Amino acid sequence: MKNKHIGSSFDDFLKEEELLVETEATAAKRVLSYHIQKEMAEQNISKSALARRMHSSRSSLERLLDPENPSVTLLTLENVAIALGKRLKIQIG
């Protein structure tokens, strides 16, 4: 029996298994979380301090930083960018 996945890409496999959107969202959230934490470290900002700057709770920030939780709103992203002295840029490409 021939393997139907030979010669296909990993993205094709994920599409067939209906996992591509979820996988890409999780990967994007991991990258986002990494960059926020890196910026926090560079600016020496604690989670509590960042949450205060965002006018949010620390538990809300924890959800934002949780790479396994893909839920995030544009408003939250804008708030964290402003709190870190950055601008939010979104690109579809």
Side-chain angles (χ1 to χ4, degrees):
M1 173 182 262
K2 187 174 179 179
N3 185 333
K4 67 179 182 173
H5 298 295
I6 292 177
S8 66
S9 72
F10 188 60
D11 284 353
D12 291 337
F13 169 75
L14 292 173
K15 280 181 200 174
E16 287 176 19
E17 299 296 318
E18 299 181 3
L19 296 171
L20 183 62
V21 173
E22 182 180 340
T23 302
E24 287 184 344
T26 301
K29 180 65 183 293
R30 286 176 188 234
V31 170
L32 177 64
S33 176
Y34 168 79
H35 283 289
I36 292 169
Q37 291 182 60
K38 181 179 175 202
E39 192 63 38
M40 289 171 63
E42 288 176 6
Q43 294 186 30
N44 198 27
I45 300 171
S46 69
K47 289 179 183 178
S48 296
L50 184 58
R52 279 193 302 276
R53 287 184 185 188
M54 293 173 60
H55 306 286
S56 185
S57 66
R58 181 163 170 172
S59 61
S60 177
L61 179 60
E62 290 287 353
R63 283 190 299 277
L64 174 64
L65 296 176
D66 179 0
E68 299 304 317
N69 182 348
S71 298
V72 64
T73 66
L74 289 175
L75 182 59
T76 301
L77 291 176
E78 185 65 34
N79 284 337
V80 76
I82 290 169
L84 291 170
K86 303 293 181 180
R87 288 194 54 211
L88 177 65
K89 293 195 300 188
I90 299 174
Q91 179 179 342
I92 298 176

